[in-house]
Amino acid sequence: MSFNRFAALVVTSFAPLASAAGLSSNSAVGSSLISKARRLENANDMDYSYVAKYSIKFQGCHHISQWNEDADEDNEVRIETKRLVRFRLCPSDACSEESSAGCSKNYGSYIVDMSTFVYEFLYAQSGYQEYNCDQYEQTCLDECGDDDNACLYQCYYNLDMLYCYEGDDDAQVEEIDMLDYAQCAQYVPPDGDDDQNDGDDQAEQAYYIGPYCGDQGGEIKFGLFTDNTCTTFSSGGTSLFEDMSGYELPYSSDSVATNACVSCGEDDDDEENYNDYYDNDDVKEVCQNIYQVSGKCESYMGLEYPNEAACTYIEGVKIIREDGIIRTTSVKKSKGAAIGIGLFTTVAVLLGAYVYYLRTKLGRAKINLSAS
């Protein structure tokens, strides 16, 4: 491997951490960052093909509290929550879905902005679902015909593909596209006005939808918030969203990320993503996009030039508590204090034993005097 590639790996490592705000690959910032990473890859002959041998294993997510530099109004949140996701690249042939760690050797540790992680996962999932619907649509139509909605529903249900069922178009409730909310964004209820909450004299509460860490960092869910940083949860919770929209907020009960090992290698079944399947590499687009913009710690991967630029940062994130405040769990022991505590304990025990001895001796002397 050339020195240029090694240098490029170091330079690109902290790109996502330098901008902790949400970076979807479809956003202006995300697209710019990924395009720069790809240009750097081409310029320095960087090779990511080895990623195809690995699988993504979700490790957890973290909330970090920090000052909101964009807060101008008095009613805006001053301390906002930034969200990060940790994951591993485990060898695909050794990745375990039963183990929370996924693997114990030959792995790399990574950290990325949650918005990027969520967007790429949802985008890949939408491509997979669209492919499945195209493949099985004719099967269900042949079985049920065009007008038998009950039969079509049952057909897709049996295939575990209810996301393909469109039902009666007239009665169908148009659900929101969760890709639009991978980064915190305002939610306008049906028949709402985009501008109804823009003025200083707000007649109604503005609501926002975005991803957050659930189950103490073990899940990524979507919630309903009352601020544009998705820090303050709505008092009505997701049930309020259901009241406004008529359906449950997607991923408010289930996690976007699961215990599954997501293979990064393309295979014969990857035609569901046409652009990914017919590109010039063997790495799935979801892995490539997340890997390129993540902070990296590849000390245990056995690479010739491992990228270790984010190792310290990742270790620091592990000690962030649920409230987003950093509190170190590693306490440096003091030899002097330990010796002092030991001496004090010893003296206290000896003194107690001596007091007991004197008390016993005095009691015996009283008995002897009484007897005489």
Side-chain angles (χ1 to χ4, degrees):
M1 179 185 295
S2 66
F3 175 77
N4 285 339
R5 177 185 171 187
F6 170 73
L9 283 171
V10 175
V11 170
T12 58
S13 176
F14 278 104
L17 303 180
S19 176
L23 299 178
S24 71
S25 64
N26 200 35
S27 67
V29 179
S31 298
S32 174
L33 185 57
I34 291 177
S35 64
K36 288 179 181 177
R38 286 171 175 166
R39 286 198 298 269
L40 187 58
E41 173 185 353
N42 295 332
N44 295 278
D45 193 28
M46 294 179 69
D47 181 16
Y48 291 121
S49 60
Y50 59 89
V51 176
K53 300 178 181 179
Y54 293 85
S55 294
I56 290 180
K57 179 69 175 182
F58 173 71
Q59 297 290 290
C61 56
H62 303 267
H63 289 176
I64 299 178
S65 297
Q66 68 178 47
W67 184 256
N68 183 11
E69 297 180 352
D70 297 327
D72 297 325
E73 304 295 334
D74 293 337
N75 61 344
E76 290 187 341
V77 174
R78 297 293 176 177
I79 303 298
E80 65 176 331
T81 301
K82 294 299 182 183
R83 299 172 172 92
L84 300 173
V85 171
R86 286 189 303 112
F87 66 94
R88 280 184 178 180
L89 284 184
C90 291
S92 293
D93 57 359
C95 188
S96 171
E97 297 188 356
E98 287 73 25
S99 169
S100 59
C103 53
S104 58
K105 59 182 180 180
N106 301 325
Y107 64 86
S109 296
Y110 305 86
I111 191 164
V112 70
D113 176 78
M114 181 183 288
S115 296
T116 301
F117 187 89
V118 169
Y119 181 91
E120 294 299 340
F121 260 62
L122 291 181
Y123 184 79
Q125 184 184 70
S126 65
Y128 173 78
Q129 292 179 348
E130 183 179 357
Y131 173 80
N132 282 343
C133 293
D134 290 341
Q135 292 296 305
Y136 289 94
E137 179 183 16
Q138 193 59 47
T139 300
C140 287
L141 287 176
D142 291 342
E143 180 179 333
C144 304
D146 294 335
D147 301 327
D148 193 344
N149 287 330
C151 178
L152 288 172
Y153 178 91
Q154 188 62 43
C155 179
Y156 285 124
Y157 177 83
N158 294 338
L159 294 170
D160 195 21
M161 292 167 50
L162 277 179
Y163 49 80
C164 299
Y165 177 72
E166 297 180 356
D168 186 356
D169 292 338
D170 295 333
Q172 188 81 3
V173 177
E174 184 177 355
E175 297 189 7
I176 60 176
D177 186 352
M178 299 309 294
L179 285 172
D180 295 334
Y181 298 93
Q183 181 175 337
C184 184
Q186 184 174 356
Y187 168 69
V188 180
D191 300 326
D193 183 359
D194 289 325
D195 299 323
Q196 67 178 351
N197 297 306
D198 291 344
D200 294 333
D201 299 325
Q202 297 188 72
E204 298 181 22
Q205 173 67 55
Y207 293 101
Y208 300 82
I209 294 175
Y212 71 95
C213 294
D215 191 26
Q216 299 181 339
E219 297 179 334
I220 301 177
K221 295 183 177 181
F222 277 85
L224 187 67
F225 303 85
T226 57
D227 65 285
N228 61 3
T229 65
C230 288
T231 298
T232 306
F233 284 94
S234 165
S235 60
T238 54
S239 60
L240 176 59
F241 174 87
E242 188 169 356
D243 292 339
M244 293 187 294
S245 65
Y247 59 92
E248 183 182 72
L249 177 64
Y251 299 106
S252 60
S253 301
D254 301 323
S255 177
V256 174
T258 66
N259 292 329
C261 295
V262 181
S263 175
C264 289
E266 296 176 357
D267 53 45
D268 293 340
D269 295 328
D270 283 334
E271 292 187 15
E272 66 266 19
N273 191 331
Y274 181 90
N275 293 328
D276 196 16
Y277 182 73
Y278 291 101
D279 58 15
N280 295 323
D281 58 53
D282 295 325
V283 183
K284 286 182 179 177
E285 188 175 4
V286 57
C287 297
Q288 182 174 328
N289 290 346
I290 292 176
Y291 178 82
Q292 285 182 327
V293 298
S294 65
K296 303 171 180 64
C297 182
E298 301 176 333
S299 305
Y300 305 109
M301 291 187 75
L303 301 178
E304 184 178 359
Y305 293 107
N307 189 328
E308 300 173 322
C311 292
T312 302
Y313 188 91
I314 292 174
E315 287 301 315
V317 168
K318 290 180 181 179
I319 60 176
I320 295 175
R321 295 296 183 268
E322 186 177 356
D323 58 6
I325 307 300
I326 298 177
R327 299 189 186 96
T328 179
T329 55
S330 58
V331 180
K332 186 177 181 180
K333 296 181 179 179
S334 171
K335 291 183 179 179
I339 293 174
I341 293 173
L343 289 175
F344 177 80
T345 303
T346 302
V347 170
V349 171
L350 292 175
L351 182 61
Y354 183 65
V355 170
Y356 177 78
Y357 167 75
L358 291 178
R359 183 177 179 181
T360 303
K361 187 175 182 180
L362 181 60
R364 289 176 179 175
K366 287 182 178 180
I367 294 174
N368 291 335
L369 288 174
S370 298
S372 61

